[in-house]
Structure formats: structure tokens, C-alpha cells
Amino acid sequence: MSIDAAALVREVRAVANEHPRHVYDGYTEDGRKRCVYTRNGAPSCLIGHAALRLGVSLDQLRDWDGRTLTGIEDVLAAEGVDRESSEVQWLDHVQFEQDHRRSWGEAVRFVDELFRTWNRGA
């Protein structure tokens, strides 16, 4: 399936808006970081939820989990999406923030502000 990065950004925003206080738990029971797109047969992280809504199957999300490079920037690049696009960079930063325990709403707001600051300085 071809992924439209702009559509994924819109869907990430929608999911974060619906669940702004949700904090992603990307850690195993023994405290090791293990961020995944699926867990227990369902989407797990913010991007996993958004991608599923766009028609990415659970099997495809599990495939993303099984790759050596599992960050959304690497996953999308492997799908032929320009990793340097502003949409992919935005998604990568949101993923980083949610993986480090910012709520989904906070992650989106933080990255939006970060990108506004960068754009003012450019």
C-alpha cells in the first residue's frame, strides 16, 4: 500500500485530538524500551492508530515492527516516500515525543511549535 505522508499527518492530528491525554507505553515489563506499531493484535502507538485508519493493515503494521529500522522516517522511506519532506520530518518528531512519554496531544503541540520556530528562523 502506498502511504500519503500528508494524509498520515492529518490522521495523526485527528487521533491526537480525540485522545489528547493518552500517553503511549513503549516499554516492556522489565523496563526496556520497545516501541511498536502494534501490540496484542491492535494498533499501539499514535502513528499505528492513524495508519490503520488510512487503510494500512495490521499485517503491514506488524511488518513495520519487524524491520531493523522501525522509525516512521525509515518505514516511509522504504515505501518510497521522501524522508526529507516536512511531513515525514514532522511525523518523525511526533513519534519521538510520544515515545518519550509526552501525551499524544502534547506531542503534536510541541512539534507544531518546534516547526513554527524553525520556520521563523529559516
Side-chain angles (χ1 to χ4, degrees):
M1 161 172 215
S2 176
I3 308 279
D4 178 344
L8 186 55
V9 167
R10 286 190 299 274
E11 206 58 45
V12 163
R13 289 182 181 286
V15 173
N17 189 52
E18 292 166 21
H19 306 281
R21 294 187 180 137
H22 181 80
V23 176
Y24 174 67
D25 182 12
Y27 292 82
T28 61
E29 289 180 10
D30 62 359
R32 290 180 294 133
K33 188 174 176 186
R34 174 73 174 120
C35 300
V36 291
Y37 295 98
T38 63
R39 184 173 287 140
N40 300 324
S44 175
C45 68
L46 176 56
I47 291 174
H49 280 271
L52 186 73
R53 287 183 179 192
L54 288 176
V56 176
S57 70
L58 280 172
D59 286 338
Q60 183 66 37
L61 291 175
R62 280 190 286 271
D63 176 67
W64 293 2
D65 287 334
R67 295 180 182 185
T68 302
L69 299 172
T70 62
I72 193 60
E73 181 181 29
D74 298 306
V75 166
L76 292 177
E79 302 287 332
V81 179
D82 177 12
R83 73 182 322 125
E84 299 301 322
S85 73
S86 60
E87 293 88 0
V88 172
Q89 291 303 304
W90 186 89
L91 290 163
D92 185 57
H93 282 79
V94 167
Q95 184 177 54
F96 176 87
E97 294 302 325
Q98 72 114 45
D99 287 352
H100 289 86
R101 296 191 169 156
R102 278 194 196 265
S103 73
W104 288 352
E106 289 172 349
V108 167
R109 283 189 300 277
F110 179 82
V111 174
D112 281 346
E113 182 57 33
L114 183 66
F115 273 56
R116 275 192 292 278
T117 301
W118 284 347
N119 289 331
R120 279 192 296 253

